[in-house]
Amino acid sequence: MAKKKQVKQAQDFQTYVRWFWKLFLGGILFIVLLFLLASWGVFGEMPDHTVLENPKTNLATEIISSDGKTLGKFYFNDNRTPVGYDELPKHLVDALVATEDARFFEHSGIDARGTLRAVVKLGSGGGASTISQQLAKQLFHGEGSSNIIERVLQKAKEWIIAIRLERQYTKEEIIAMYFNIYDFGNNADGIRSAASIYFDKEPHELDVKESAMLVGMFKNSSLYNPREHRNPVGTRNRRNVVLSQMEKYDYISEETKDSLQGLDLGLRYSPQSHRDGIATYFRAYLDGFMKDWIKNNPKPDGEKYNLYGDGLKVYTTIDSRMQQYAEDAIQQHMPRLQAEFDHQNTPDRNPTAPFLELSQSEIDALMKRGMRQSERWRVMKNEGKTDEEIISSFDKPTSMTVFSWKGEIDTVMKPIDSMRYYKSFLHPGMMSMDPQTGHVKAWVGGMNYKHFQYDHVKQGKRQVGSTFKPFVYATAIDQLHLSPCYKMPRSQITIEAGRHGAMESWTPSNDDGDYAGELTLKAALASSVNTISARLMDKVGPQPVIDLVEKLGVESNIPAVPSIALGTPDLSVYEMVAAYATFANQGVYTKPVMVTHIEDKNGTILYQFTPESRDVISEETAYVTVKLMEGVTDGGSGVRLRTKGADKYRADYREVVTGYPYEFKNPIAGKTGTTQNQSDGWFMGMVPNLVTGVWVGAEDRAAHFRSITYGQGAAMALPIWGLYMKACYADETLDISQEEFVKPKDLTIEVDCEVYEQEVNDSLPDEEIPDELDF
């Protein structure tokens, strides 16, 4: 009986053993079959060799400044610009390996020890995914499923892809790809965007604690995001875990770990969106430029480039330092000017604020036009709303965020009131250009692109006032060979109807009401004497002036009438800067350049700009015109650039605009401009290698200063030029000229008025020399 029992037990044991081996071998066969089927694509498409070699990721188009900085990017969803392994600091790689995959450099895609540990401990001891597996997941199949069967199948595919990636790429390439593919939140796609957005740095500039914070975000970039969830404490704790892992694997010492764990995150959040950052208006212009270029320049296979996904690199002429100085100058001057404007347009001082000289019916008509041009009107019209419904919506209080110079304001306001509020703002437009190369160095189309998208550099055109006068003077110099020292009477002049195309008689007046005596051309331009400009126009006629202006690159239509002598045409800052640059460039017009070349993601040059230039006027005419304009800053309306005055402030933060201390000593040629009713203020300023134009004015010309005190170009626009140039000169790396303008070798027109006066007197018979002159 006992023997039978022993035999039975032996048979049962052998059965168990056979079943164990069947299950074991079957399990192995099942796993092998599972992986084979997965590799064959039975459970879903698997990437082939070609796809593994070129993983499909959307790469942002990068906008690069002339000094090598990233100005911004074009992208839809992925703000990604890849970097190579050699651009990653060692401590960043160490942090990743220590935290995510300590045996990364030892395995071939699958960490057997980690996998076995995860199986035995059912995941409680940590996951087993290697960096290669995580990269496979990011690249080819995304997040895991909640279904257990689907998760198993996805894991099988993940393992196969990881092994293939290891065969296809080096360890260093895999690490670089992983850093480049990860989404760190807040439009920070990839390590380069993350370093820039969270720390305002390039990846190679990151320090150990910054690297640790970014690596800590790999666990969950949403949870451990210092901005998105306002979770700096959790992010800091996660960073400290990474630092502990680095110390555990001997990448840093315990002392270093302890000292770094006590530090704050050191966040320098710099958002990268199409409406934030530097050079926003220029980037908006560039968006249109690139779309036009893409339309006319297909790929070799005939397909169109994708501005938002093909990883193009657009190399621009903008200098990031000068662009920042330009934006800083506007941020410094405009709030003070706006404060004075607001002070003058309180309801008790101006019942029709912000408008002047308009009746209520005219204001109502202006506001209705504004409604029809608004985004609200466009959206509601597309929704099928009637005009009456849309108009009534402008009188319903709505939650909104509005712009102010002290920061955005969350408020409840009627849309019609917000329109009136925005119409009270003064706007700037500014462009700076190298006259020899045509390279545009700075472009500021407004003060805040998020709230004001209209570009006042190229898109906007406003009356130019007296800044047009140098074109009249240049024409007269070219045709009549006049010296800056040539004298003309200040007395009134009437150009009769029919002469020079005048529709009616025209008698301009001088702003100061003085018509006595005579002035040199240099003094007349410096003081912007209207009657002398009109006399010059009468001598040369409007058409030659228009012909010259067109050769200087102005494309806007200018009527052939004498009154253009005082600056009645509407021109853009872009046109004015290019035209003035011809004078600084010895009479040679150079078309403004914004893009030097475009490359694809592999560095192949797709576009190279070709300079466009032409001779317009002689070197002599250009030089004499420049000497005329030097008089504006030496003793005319731009003389405050030479002075040092104490800053004067009022209790409510408004500054007396004339108080800016510039004290420039170097040669500066320039011209101020002020239009009728002080609606527009201009200043055009030149040194030998930089020409800059500034315009300031409100959206509607009916919104303006009451008097010339603040409403002139010297008060509205010139201070921006002065602040900008002060900053440029303080930056010695820019090499902005402080030298004299180049003098032609064979100058036949005398520009020294003392010498000119002597020559004139010497040419007169002795009896014609005035008695009061003692020689």
Side-chain angles (χ1 to χ4, degrees):
M1 191 72 178
K3 187 175 181 179
K4 287 182 179 180
K5 187 175 181 180
Q6 288 177 347
V7 171
K8 175 66 173 170
Q9 288 177 340
Q11 290 175 339
D12 289 343
F13 177 74
Q14 289 176 354
T15 300
Y16 295 147
V17 169
R18 283 195 297 271
W19 271 106
F20 170 78
W21 283 108
K22 285 179 181 180
L23 290 172
F24 179 75
L25 294 174
I28 292 177
L29 288 172
F30 173 77
I31 293 173
V32 171
L33 181 62
L34 179 69
F35 278 90
L36 280 174
L37 292 173
S39 66
W40 294 338
V42 173
F43 304 130
E45 186 179 357
M46 292 286 284
D48 61 15
H49 174 82
T50 304
V51 175
L52 285 173
E53 195 172 75
N54 297 284
K56 182 64 177 177
T57 54
N58 288 327
L59 303 179
T61 290
E62 187 176 10
I63 307 165
I64 302 169
S65 70
S66 61
D67 54 322
K69 302 295 183 182
T70 299
L71 295 174
K73 299 175 185 178
F74 295 127
Y75 61 91
F76 271 139
N77 297 314
D78 297 334
N79 177 21
R80 181 176 292 105
T81 303
V83 297
Y85 181 82
D86 57 350
E87 298 176 74
L88 304 175
K90 183 178 183 302
H91 51 254
L92 180 66
V93 176
D94 292 343
L96 177 67
V97 172
T99 307
E100 298 291 329
D101 190 355
R103 287 177 291 278
F104 173 72
F105 290 101
E106 301 169 13
H107 61 66
S108 298
I110 307 299
D111 183 3
R113 287 169 56 186
T115 301
L116 183 61
R117 182 196 65 227
V119 171
V120 171
K121 295 187 177 182
L122 299 177
S124 62
S129 290
T130 64
I131 291 173
S132 302
Q133 287 176 259
Q134 293 179 49
L135 176 60
K137 182 178 179 180
Q138 291 278 337
L139 282 173
F140 299 111
H141 70 81
E143 294 300 319
S145 170
S146 58
N147 183 294
I148 185 65
I149 296 176
E150 290 182 356
R151 287 179 62 186
V152 169
L153 295 178
Q154 285 184 342
K155 183 62 70 173
K157 292 167 64 177
E158 183 183 296
W159 281 22
I160 294 167
I161 296 171
I163 293 171
R164 289 179 178 178
L165 286 171
E166 290 272 353
R167 291 175 180 173
Q168 190 80 24
Y169 297 99
T170 65
K171 291 287 188 179
E172 291 76 13
E173 289 173 329
I174 288 172
I175 282 180
M177 290 172 69
Y178 187 49
F179 273 116
N180 285 326
I181 196 65
Y182 193 73
D183 180 0
F184 291 86
N186 293 308
N187 291 324
D189 298 300
I191 189 62
R192 188 171 184 199
S193 293
S196 176
I197 288 173
Y198 292 116
F199 298 108
D200 196 21
K201 292 183 176 182
E202 290 293 320
H204 69 270
E205 298 173 322
L206 294 169
D207 61 28
V208 176
K209 64 179 175 58
E210 292 164 347
S211 294
M213 191 205 90
L214 293 175
V215 167
M217 294 175 71
F218 279 114
K219 186 175 179 66
N220 187 322
S221 62
S222 179
L223 179 61
Y224 298 111
N225 192 308
R227 293 286 304 180
E228 192 166 332
H229 285 288
R230 302 290 188 266
N231 187 23
V233 175
T235 305
R236 178 175 170 174
N237 291 339
R238 178 61 188 166
R239 178 205 66 182
N240 290 348
V241 169
V242 175
L243 292 170
S244 295
Q245 288 295 106
M246 294 180 74
E247 186 268 332
K248 175 182 176 181
Y249 290 103
D250 297 324
Y251 290 117
I252 59 175
S253 66
E254 184 176 0
E255 292 77 12
T256 300
K257 179 204 72 172
D258 291 340
S259 64
L260 293 178
Q261 285 183 337
L263 298 176
D264 292 332
L265 292 174
L267 200 68
R268 292 183 61 189
Y269 184 64
S270 305
Q272 286 185 358
S273 74
H274 304 302
R275 295 187 175 187
D276 292 308
I278 193 172
T280 47
Y281 290 91
F282 173 75
R283 282 153 44 197
Y285 159 79
L286 195 61
D287 181 81
F289 174 93
M290 288 301 300
K291 287 174 180 175
D292 287 341
W293 179 83
I294 287 171
K295 186 189 303 180
N296 299 308
N297 295 273
K299 295 180 182 179
D301 61 5
E303 289 188 13
K304 288 187 176 182
Y305 287 100
N306 183 348
L307 180 61
Y308 307 105
D310 279 348
L312 302 176
K313 291 184 182 294
V314 184
Y315 291 85
T316 73
T317 60
I318 297 294
D319 187 295
S320 68
R321 297 159 295 181
M322 297 172 75
Q323 179 69 31
Q324 189 63 62
Y325 300 150
E327 294 185 14
D328 289 346
I330 284 171
Q331 292 290 321
Q332 193 170 341
H333 173 67
M334 291 301 296
R336 295 168 176 172
L337 188 68
Q338 186 67 49
E340 177 60 38
F341 184 79
D342 294 341
H343 174 73
Q344 294 186 17
N345 279 282
T346 56
D348 58 323
R349 292 186 177 92
N350 177 20
T352 61
F355 311 109
L356 294 169
E357 295 96 29
L358 290 187
S359 65
Q360 189 57 52
S361 61
E362 290 173 321
I363 293 174
D364 292 341
L366 186 151
M367 296 301 289
K368 285 181 179 178
R369 283 199 304 272
M371 288 184 197
R372 292 180 177 274
Q373 295 169 356
S374 69
E375 181 69 6
R376 169 181 286 270
W377 188 283
R378 185 188 68 80
V379 170
M380 294 185 71
K381 202 68 176 174
N382 288 339
E383 293 174 350
K385 304 292 185 183
T386 65
D387 289 0
E388 291 74 17
E389 289 175 317
I390 299 174
I391 292 171
S392 66
S393 75
F394 278 85
D395 281 316
K396 296 177 181 177
T398 305
S399 297
M400 62 180 71
T401 301
V402 297
F403 170 82
S404 86
W405 278 112
K406 295 181 180 180
E408 291 184 337
I409 300 173
D410 293 325
T411 186
V412 175
M413 186 183 293
K414 293 179 181 179
I416 192 68
D417 291 335
S418 72
M419 282 179 55
R420 187 183 294 268
Y421 171 75
Y422 276 131
K423 285 181 179 295
S424 70
F425 277 96
L426 299 172
H427 300 262
M430 177 181 181
M431 186 176 116
S432 195
M433 167 181 154
D434 183 323
Q436 281 77 47
T437 63
H439 288 190
V440 175
K441 297 297 183 181
W443 177 307
V444 188
M447 63 260 197
N448 186 294
Y449 188 76
K450 182 178 179 181
H451 292 277
F452 308 99
Q453 280 90 55
Y454 194 78
D455 175 33
H456 292 288
V457 169
K458 203 168 192 293
Q459 192 177 5
K461 297 182 180 183
R462 294 295 286 262
Q463 203 172 79
V464 294
S466 294
T467 56
F468 192 85
K469 290 178 180 176
F471 305 136
V472 180
Y473 278 70
T475 304
I477 292 166
D478 190 52
Q479 289 191 1
L480 307 175
H481 214 63
L482 299 178
S483 165
C485 311
Y486 178 77
K487 291 183 178 179
M488 297 186 77
R490 297 171 59 108
S491 58
Q492 284 192 316
I493 175 176
T494 297
I495 298 179
E496 301 294 341
R499 180 170 171 78
H500 299 312
M503 299 297 293
E504 55 186 25
S505 296
W506 179 56
T507 306
S509 59
N510 291 331
D511 292 334
D512 59 4
D514 187 356
Y515 302 97
E518 57 183 13
L519 290 173
T520 64
L521 295 186
K522 188 173 185 177
L525 184 64
S527 300
S528 213
V529 179
N530 290 337
T531 54
I532 292 181
S533 295
R535 288 182 182 278
L536 289 174
M537 176 61 77
D538 191 42
K539 286 180 178 291
V540 299
Q543 193 57 52
V545 176
I546 294 172
D547 292 341
L548 171 63
V549 170
E550 288 178 348
K551 292 176 183 177
L552 295 176
V554 173
E555 297 179 352
S556 300
N557 181 55
I558 300 176
V561 294
S563 61
I564 63 172
L566 306 189
T568 55
D570 287 357
L571 304 178
S572 67
V573 173
Y574 175 90
E575 290 174 305
M576 289 294 289
V577 171
Y580 266 68
T582 306
F583 299 128
N585 195 31
Q586 299 171 277
V588 179
Y589 168 79
T590 301
K591 187 176 181 178
V593 178
M594 282 70 76
V595 176
T596 59
H597 62 286
I598 301 170
E599 294 179 356
D600 66 12
K601 64 181 180 182
N602 300 314
T604 303
I605 294 179
L606 306 175
Y607 163 84
Q608 187 87 39
F609 94 98
T610 303
E612 293 183 38
S613 63
R614 56 177 175 268
D615 292 337
V616 176
I617 52 177
S618 67
E619 288 185 41
E620 183 174 57
T621 298
Y623 180 73
V624 173
T625 305
V626 166
K627 299 304 287 185
L628 277 168
M629 288 191 281
E630 283 186 0
V632 174
T633 64
D634 288 339
S637 56
V639 72
R640 66 187 62 187
L641 291 173
R642 305 295 187 187
T643 61
K644 182 178 182 180
D647 286 344
K648 301 174 184 178
Y649 296 92
R650 298 183 186 177
D652 56 357
Y653 181 65
R654 290 179 295 111
E655 180 181 353
V656 175
V657 184
T658 56
Y660 285 101
Y662 307 110
E663 207 176 11
F664 292 114
K665 303 295 184 184
N666 56 293
I668 298 171
K671 187 69 190 81
T672 58
T674 307
T675 64
Q676 188 176 18
N677 295 330
Q678 300 79 236
S679 294
D680 305 273
W682 289 81
F683 184 72
M684 305 297 300
M686 305 189 296
V687 296
N689 66 350
L690 194 65
V691 177
T692 304
V694 183
W695 165 86
V696 173
E699 178 184 324
D700 297 286
R701 288 171 177 164
H704 57 80
F705 282 104
R706 287 183 178 275
S707 70
I708 200 74
T709 303
Y710 291 97
Q712 60 180 305
M716 294 172 71
L718 178 144
I720 293 174
W721 191 94
L723 292 166
Y724 168 67
M725 291 300 291
K726 269 286 194 184
C728 287
Y729 279 131
D731 188 340
E732 296 180 358
T733 64
L734 292 177
D735 194 28
I736 304 300
S737 174
Q738 299 192 49
E739 307 302 318
E740 297 277 351
F741 287 88
V742 178
K743 183 177 181 180
K745 293 180 181 179
D746 301 319
L747 185 66
T748 62
I749 298 176
E750 184 56 63
V751 295
D752 186 321
C753 288
E754 289 186 7
V755 174
Y756 177 85
E757 195 72 40
Q758 184 67 51
E759 290 177 350
V760 169
N761 289 327
D762 288 347
S763 69
L764 294 173
D766 290 344
E767 63 273 14
E768 293 187 20
I769 297 177
D771 294 336
E772 64 270 25
L773 296 180
D774 183 15
F775 294 103

